[in-house]
Amino acid sequence: MWELIEEYRMDPTTWLYVASLMTIGIFFRFSRFFSIRNLDLVGIILFAPGLLLISHQAERAGYVWLFTVSALFLPRLLIDPFFSRRPLTEPNLSPGGMTFMVIALMFFLVGNILTERVLETQPSQPGATTASPIWRVPELKGPGYLPFYRAITLYQRESPSPEKNSPPASVETETTSHLILTAGIKIAAIAAQCAIVAGLILFGLRHFDNVQTGLAAASLYLLLPYTSQLTARLDHIVPGAFVLWALVMYRRPMIAGALLGASTIVFYPFFLLPLWIGFYWRRGLFRFLAGFLAVVAGLVLVLFFVSPTWTQFWRDLAAMFGKYLLRTEGADGFWTYHWPYFRIPILAGFAALCVSLGIWPSEKNLANLLSGTAAVLLTAQFCLIHQGGLYMAWYAPALILTIFRPSLKDITAERAVPRYWFAPLPKLGP
């Protein structure tokens, strides 16, 4: 926001210190210093040094750090449903203070998108040879919905090139086109970030029966150094927003299925299907699958119309459904520095985890759905050949809600989901 407020500058390192102190001051339970809540908050703060290492070109050490912290969080998420005694603990700030904080942090987030060079692909500092790796959007070759990746990297391919022999009119046209594309990316990023913040607040209000908890979850998300550093990465925040809103709408299986289907533009949410099918097994399964399959079919139809040739269509369709999952070409991130074929046993373990979460326990509650969704998308980071570990927005909202959740052991699909398609929502009171 340095263009709006003269001399304003908040670099990632300074924000890490400020955000960490604010997180401790607002959310720590000082009366129970060694509580699970405090350990969770320390764990979330520990993600930030890895991001800083990557942004300062120490990529190898940064990705190892992120993988290590993620590996420590995974067992925490898997055992979370066993914590049956979970009293709803409010933050150390009043409801009015939390509301003001969310609005202020959202203002700075939008300002960061609008005025900072978060989409810059050229060196942003004098003497630098490359832009910060943390802003680099990889041109994905699969798996995933390739039209989505082509759309969000179009501004990179259309960036103006300062060639001496280029006609002035041509350079001006390229510059205008690049500005329009960049503006579109920024508008989409603001909308996706607003959707995540609104989803966290609404989840607290509707499913925790406490709007202050929703405000606390939104504040913690906005305080994350990750959120301030990867503000406009649509391949991060768009799928994260879809997954979060699928959780928000879990009592309407068809809408939840449609939103989860939309999140498969990055492929890995397909691995959430066993967990969500297990949750809806006793009620709502057909409606959930109908919504999911309808959106996936719509994505295939769009792919058919945008593909210039049949060959391109079949290639992109195969990528959409994971044909290139084991491809190591163009490795970017952790697997650049380590033998990529180690991903094969990791992928096998990942698949076994997803199936086991779908089978056990036989009757799942909302706590299982929250922690299981976060666990699956966190584990997917170990399998990503492109910048694995950086895609925290996929699981961060579900992880934060898991940290703040009260006891949800009685909130099952049989109790929370209507028996029929258009029936009113059943009451969940005692």
Side-chain angles (χ1 to χ4, degrees), residues 126-160:
T129 56
T130 57
S132 171
I134 211 165
W135 294 342
R136 186 172 60 235
V137 182
E139 292 194 18
L140 192 69
K141 295 178 172 39
Y145 193 63
L146 298 187
F148 170 71
Y149 282 91
R150 294 186 188 115
I152 65 175
T153 57
L154 185 61
Y155 72 93
Q156 293 180 349
R157 301 193 296 274
E158 294 290 337
S159 57

Side-chain angles (χ1 to χ4, degrees), residues 267-410:
F267 175 70
Y268 285 92
F270 274 116
F271 287 96
L272 289 171
L273 273 178
L275 172 67
W276 284 68
I277 288 173
F279 177 77
Y280 286 116
W281 187 259
R282 299 191 179 187
R283 181 173 295 177
L285 178 60
F286 180 76
R287 284 169 277 171
F288 169 75
L289 291 177
F292 183 87
L293 294 175
V295 171
V296 171
L299 292 174
V300 173
L301 189 62
V302 170
L303 189 63
F304 175 79
F305 284 110
V306 301
S307 300
T309 64
W310 278 103
T311 303
Q312 184 72 45
F313 170 71
W314 290 114
R315 186 183 298 119
D316 288 359
L317 186 65
M320 177 181 174
F321 289 102
K323 179 181 178 181
Y324 306 113
L325 182 61
L326 298 179
R327 174 181 279 179
T328 59
E329 179 185 348
D332 182 19
F334 178 88
W335 296 110
T336 305
Y337 308 99
H338 302 85
W339 198 40
Y341 291 101
F342 280 127
R343 293 172 62 240
I344 295 176
I346 292 176
L347 281 166
F350 178 44
L353 171 67
C354 296
V355 173
S356 63
L357 287 175
I359 296 174
W360 187 85
S362 57
E363 185 178 30
K364 297 173 177 56
N365 53 39
L366 184 55
N368 295 117
L369 191 65
L370 275 177
S371 61
T373 297
V376 169
L377 295 178
L378 182 145
T379 310
Q381 304 300 310
F382 298 97
C383 307
L384 284 166
I385 196 68
H386 302 285
Q387 300 180 345
L390 277 185
Y391 289 81
M392 290 177 60
W394 292 4
Y395 64 85
L399 173 61
I400 291 171
L401 290 172
T402 299
I403 291 173
F404 284 108
R405 75 167 181 87
S407 178
L408 301 171
K409 62 180 181 180
D410 296 328

Side-chain angles (χ1 to χ4, degrees), residues 189-335:
I190 292 171
Q193 293 285 13
C194 289
I196 291 177
V197 171
L200 289 168
I201 297 172
L202 188 60
F203 197 99
L205 176 63
R206 294 183 59 179
H207 305 311
F208 294 166
D209 294 323
N210 190 302
V211 68
Q212 190 174 3
T213 303
L215 289 168
S219 296
L220 182 56
Y221 172 77
L222 292 169
L223 279 171
L224 293 178
Y226 163 83
T227 307
S228 66
Q229 286 182 264
L230 291 106
T231 315
R233 284 287 299 271
L234 293 183
D235 52 332
H236 291 229
I237 54 179
V238 170
F242 281 133
V243 170
L244 173 59
W245 275 91
L247 289 167
V248 172
M249 301 302 297
Y250 85 95
R251 300 188 69 187
R252 293 294 184 183
M254 188 169 185
I255 299 175
L259 290 165
L260 198 65
S263 72
T264 59
I265 52 178
V266 292
F267 175 70
Y268 285 92
F270 274 116
F271 287 96
L272 289 171
L273 273 178
L275 172 67
W276 284 68
I277 288 173
F279 177 77
Y280 286 116
W281 187 259
R282 299 191 179 187
R283 181 173 295 177
L285 178 60
F286 180 76
R287 284 169 277 171
F288 169 75
L289 291 177
F292 183 87
L293 294 175
V295 171
V296 171
L299 292 174
V300 173
L301 189 62
V302 170
L303 189 63
F304 175 79
F305 284 110
V306 301
S307 300
T309 64
W310 278 103
T311 303
Q312 184 72 45
F313 170 71
W314 290 114
R315 186 183 298 119
D316 288 359
L317 186 65
M320 177 181 174
F321 289 102
K323 179 181 178 181
Y324 306 113
L325 182 61
L326 298 179
R327 174 181 279 179
T328 59
E329 179 185 348
D332 182 19
F334 178 88
W335 296 110

